[in-house]
Amino acid sequence: MSTQISNDTLIDMHRRMVRIRLFEETAGKMMEDGKIPGALHLYVGEEAVAGGVMVHLSDEDQITSTHRGHGHLIAKGGEFDQMFAELYGRSTGYCKGKGGSMHISNMELGILGANGIVGGGPPIAMGAAFGNKFLKNNKVAVCFFGDGASNEGSFHEAANMAGLYKLPVVFVCENNGFGEYTPQANHQAIVDVADRAAGYGMPGVIVDGMDAVAVYEAAGEAVDRARSGKGPTLLECKTYRFFDHVGVRGMGLTYRSDEEVERWKKRDPILLMEERLLEQKVLSAEQIKAVHDITSEEVLAGIKFAEESPFPDPSSLTEDVYA
Amino acid sequence: MAEAQLKPRTLPYVSAITEGVRAVMLEQPTAFVAGEDVAGAGGVYGYYAGILDEFGPERVYDTPISEEGIVGLGVGSAAAGCRPIIDMMFMDFLGECMDEVANQMAKMRYMFGGRTKLPITMLTMAGAGMSLAAQHSQSLEAWICHLPGLKVVMPTTPYDAKGLIIAAARDDNPVIVVLNKMSLAIKGEVPEESYEIPLGKANIVRPGTNYTIVAMGRMMHEAIKAADELAKLGVDAEIIDPRTLQPFDTDTVVESVRKTHRALIVHEAVRFGGFGGEIVAQIQEEAFDYLDAPIARVGAPFSPVPFSPALEKLYIPNADNIVAAAKKQLGL
């Protein structure tokens, strides 16, 4: 199967994943340094999901993201300048400093928000897909959500209606094994969230969420199925959060073992991708390093842009409550 | 079209709702109706009668009994470029979808730095009087008026019902239209043409000189009866129907109180913590020096809505309650 993927696509996915990783590592450091206010939920470890799904979408297609949403925005084309500025609470941010990490979005890229409410995204993605079908605009909506959100009633209602109306939507479950700090085994009686698909009359597919190529292949089928009018898919990606629920610290935590973290880190999605790129001679080690170096420079430029940007004017406090 | 040019007929409130929805569907190609039992059944109170036949299944959708899904359908489709009309069969069911209403629909525009708009119209049915008991009879407008990002209207007459629905649907914000089930049969003049009642504009239903009654929703009709009684006592009451609660037309109310020097607020909702308290606060902020008496409030007791007709009749404020409160306030 993997031979069907062009080198350009592999390079594209790798670039998106590296961009997420380096952005997140720096954002986390800035939060710990007290430069970024509030709470950051970092996407490190889960890059293969956003990377593997988003290469199938155009800027016109919509997504709903989660509280762990920076990775989705980056993979869909978000610019570091405006992202860092938003995290810094500056007026030049994507949301003019009104949203912050948990609501970062860019409507021009079809991003209907990160969402501070676990399970906030599925009804909105379903609604966007309903709108797409009504408007016959051939767009697809993709809903990212976690194993934790799969227990929310909102997911059930959205999935039921998506199945009923055969909507052009893909539900991508990023099963990272934890609902906030609670292991999956302690929050649901099933191992595979994909099992729930049967209850909504849609296919449930499970993939290795650390392998961007596996995600790419499964997501391609699901997006095609949605776009061709055949209805939704529940795509479960088994992945892992290298950092804590909030912030950077990933090891020495009370609710999971370091051994478990180390085991997953051996399957770091970016390492796996880079091994593949080298093995298939798609990129050389130097070229891979260049991707990291260029991205690091962009991160630094983004930080500089954010730090030099003004805070929102006091007059903007109650602006944009209404259209 | 100017109001004077319109040709009025007499229609019940329920039919005026239908005409409002129909007018929206005719003038807005991206409008559709979605909700529980709105298509095949025409709505549980019949105000979507004929809408499916006229506009077809591609624009009128029965949904599952799934309130959070319904509101999500509205939010997502509006973000995608539609102008949805969503139906929340009973206002009490807001409890099933309050995250979608309060945390998503109301906040999305602000959270995204103003880079989206959500032209959603939600119709919902409030009020007691049909022995539907505690979960199908509430007036919960105070919940939603407290949420920046939402607009809230409360049409009281057939004329206002049609005009406010059309105005709500033309607005680029989420607007919740709070209808009243005991008003469904009330008749009034309704022009055939499409027209809108401006959002945020109160209506002086009856002019008066020395007393102001601000009456929300169906209580406007009770206030008119009360005013007739009070007239016998020399009280010439001005009755104001706010029509829109959010944004609230403070100016019209304050101007009236500056003239009359006394005010009473009445709503069907529970008095404690009700929207009337906000109106009282606004009056005293803007017209304290004009007041000759403390502002009176009439509302339901601090209790769930009872089932038994014998109790429900006691629960719902009426003209007698308004007269009694006014007499006490005025020392008559």
Side-chain angles (χ1 to χ4, degrees):
Chain A
M1 285 287 282
S2 60
T3 52
Q4 294 172 349
I5 301 180
S6 71
N7 287 353
D8 284 350
T9 301
L10 288 171
I11 291 167
D12 185 4
M13 284 196 291
H14 172 251
R15 179 174 170 276
R16 295 184 202 224
M17 291 162 65
V18 170
R19 284 174 65 77
I20 296 171
R21 175 68 56 93
L22 298 186
F23 179 95
E24 292 290 67
E25 286 177 345
T26 303
K29 183 176 182 311
M30 293 300 156
M31 174 192 153
E32 293 192 336
D33 289 352
K35 292 189 172 178
I36 290 177
L40 298 189
H41 307 86
L42 300 166
Y43 196 71
V44 170
E46 305 183 18
E47 294 90 343
V49 182
V53 172
M54 232 65 86
V55 288
H56 295 288
L57 305 181
S58 74
D59 287 355
E60 300 291 303
D61 292 318
Q62 304 106 337
I63 65 164
T64 59
S65 176
T66 68
H67 56 289
R68 202 172 303 290
H70 308 164
H72 305 130
L73 184 51
I74 293 167
K76 206 163 189 296
E79 299 290 342
F80 287 178
D81 286 5
Q82 293 170 75
M83 287 190 68
F84 274 121
E86 187 59 34
L87 300 190
Y88 271 76
R90 306 302 167 108
S91 64
T92 52
Y94 271 125
C95 309
K96 303 181 192 168
K98 301 281 187 70
S101 169
M102 279 192 278
H103 308 297
I104 197 161
S105 71
N106 180 356
M107 294 297 288
E108 283 88 51
L109 294 175
I111 296 164
L112 307 180
N115 210 309
I117 304 294
V118 171
I124 297 170
M126 177 276 292
F130 188 97
N132 294 341
K133 189 171 182 178
F134 179 84
L135 297 168
K136 298 184 171 65
N137 61 18
N138 205 36
K139 296 180 191 174
V140 168
V142 175
C143 170
F144 293 92
F145 67 107
D147 49 304
S150 76
N151 297 329
E152 292 278 9
S154 58
F155 167 68
H156 169 69
E157 294 196 21
N160 181 57
M161 288 170 76
L164 173 70
Y165 298 128
K166 283 196 167 23
L167 297 180
V169 58
V170 180
F171 293 98
V172 177
C173 179
E174 300 176 313
N175 183 349
N176 64 14
F178 294 89
E180 297 190 16
Y181 304 97
T182 301
Q184 188 193 0
N186 292 356
H187 75 63
Q188 54 191 194
I190 54 173
V191 172
D192 299 321
V193 174
D195 289 351
R196 295 192 169 165
Y200 308 117
M202 66 177 83
V205 180
I206 300 169
V207 291
D208 176 359
M210 306 307 265
D211 179 356
V213 171
V215 174
Y216 171 85
E217 288 170 350
E221 283 185 31
V223 170
D224 287 348
R225 181 180 147 80
R227 211 181 297 282
S228 61
K230 291 177 186 153
T233 300
L234 172 50
L235 174 60
E236 179 182 7
C237 305
K238 305 281 193 186
T239 183
Y240 198 78
R241 189 178 78 203
F242 288 178
F243 291 170
D244 203 353
H245 169 58
V246 175
V248 174
R249 186 171 165 232
M251 307 291 267
L253 300 170
T254 56
Y255 61 91
R256 70 182 192 189
S257 69
D258 289 353
E259 292 71 34
E260 180 181 295
V261 180
E262 293 296 351
R263 202 164 58 243
W264 280 94
K265 279 191 169 176
K266 285 183 185 146
R267 305 202 63 250
D268 182 322
I270 292 176
L271 283 182
L272 292 185
M273 174 58 93
E274 291 180 349
E275 281 171 15
R276 184 188 298 265
L277 292 171
L278 289 168
E279 197 178 295
Q280 297 182 4
K281 299 191 182 348
V282 178
L283 290 180
S284 67
E286 291 73 28
Q287 286 170 313
I288 288 171
K289 183 174 179 301
V291 172
H292 286 255
D293 291 346
I294 290 166
T295 305
S296 292
E297 283 170 27
E298 284 185 49
V299 168
L300 291 175
I303 292 283
K304 186 168 184 287
F305 175 82
E307 292 186 347
E308 289 175 356
S309 290
F311 281 106
D313 191 85
S315 67
S316 73
L317 176 65
T318 56
E319 271 176 14
D320 295 326
V321 178
Y322 292 98
Chain B
M1 189 176 288
E3 292 187 19
Q5 295 173 276
L6 305 175
K7 286 175 289 182
R9 307 148 297 154
T10 297
L11 281 185
Y13 186 83
V14 61
S15 305
I17 299 169
T18 312
E19 285 207 351
V21 171
R22 182 170 178 270
V24 173
M25 293 286 274
L26 285 171
E27 75 178 26
Q28 298 186 11
T30 61
F32 61 83
V33 175
E36 295 158 10
D37 301 324
V38 299
V44 289
Y45 286 109
Y47 54 81
Y48 297 107
I51 298 292
L52 173 65
D53 287 345
E54 182 169 358
F55 296 98
E58 294 218 329
R59 294 188 68 194
V60 188
Y61 298 87
D62 279 329
T63 64
I65 302 170
S66 205
E67 289 79 11
E68 187 162 12
I70 293 167
V71 184
L73 191 157
V75 173
S77 66
C82 300
R83 301 186 73 89
I85 301 171
I86 54 174
D87 191 81
M88 190 56 50
M89 187 187 284
F90 288 92
M91 190 174 203
D92 314 70
F93 301 170
L94 282 176
E96 288 276 18
C97 57
M98 208 51 170
D99 178 67
E100 209 59 39
V101 171
N103 286 324
Q104 313 297 341
M105 183 163 80
K107 294 180 174 56
M108 191 185 266
R109 177 178 171 79
Y110 185 85
M111 292 191 300
F112 295 179
R115 293 184 212 270
T116 185
K117 61 181 183 185
L118 296 177
I120 302 163
T121 303
M122 180 198 286
L123 303 190
T124 190
M125 190 58 78
M130 290 186 173
S131 278
L132 296 176
Q135 298 170 340
H136 290 72
S137 305
Q138 296 171 89
S139 296
L140 298 170
E141 63 275 2
W143 285 12
I144 47 179
C145 288
H146 194 60
L147 295 168
L150 301 183
K151 293 187 179 181
V152 180
V153 301
M154 218 169 172
T156 306
T157 65
Y159 179 81
D160 288 352
K162 179 172 175 180
L164 283 170
I165 288 169
I166 292 168
R170 287 177 183 169
D171 197 90
D172 279 340
N173 296 286
V175 184
I176 300 184
V177 181
V178 182
L179 303 164
N180 181 273
K181 55 178 85 72
M182 289 302 286
S183 301
L184 289 164
I186 290 176
K187 289 187 174 171
E189 288 187 347
V190 180
E192 275 186 44
E193 297 85 345
S194 186
Y195 60 97
E196 67 174 82
I197 308 286
L199 301 183
K201 189 85 190 77
N203 185 28
I204 300 174
V205 177
R206 166 181 169 140
T209 57
N210 60 13
Y211 196 66
T212 297
I213 300 176
V214 182
M216 291 166 46
R218 193 178 69 78
M219 288 301 107
M220 188 272 277
H221 302 291
E222 296 297 319
I224 290 173
K225 287 185 235 165
D228 289 342
E229 283 302 307
L230 291 169
K232 296 172 191 166
L233 303 170
V235 177
D236 182 20
E238 178 151 288
I239 299 173
I240 298 173
D241 175 1
R243 299 196 289 199
T244 304
L245 302 185
Q246 187 59 263
F248 186 72
D249 184 358
T250 303
D251 290 349
T252 296
V253 172
V254 166
E255 196 180 320
S256 175
V257 174
R258 284 180 174 168
K259 177 178 71 180
T260 65
H261 308 295
R262 297 166 189 84
L264 177 146
I265 321 297
V266 53
H267 53 56
E268 186 180 323
V270 170
R271 201 176 89 121
F272 186 99
F275 192 76
E278 175 63 31
I279 300 174
V280 170
Q282 297 211 11
I283 293 171
Q284 69 85 20
E285 282 167 357
E286 302 289 329
F288 183 79
D289 290 339
Y290 294 83
L291 287 171
D292 286 347
I295 302 164
R297 280 189 298 156
V298 175
F302 198 67
S303 157
V305 183
F307 162 69
S308 168
L311 294 175
E312 190 183 36
K313 199 174 151 210
L314 291 175
Y315 179 90
I316 306 170
N318 59 25
D320 291 344
N321 302 141
I322 298 168
V323 170
K327 285 168 75 173
K328 186 180 168 202
Q329 177 193 23
L330 301 175
L332 296 172

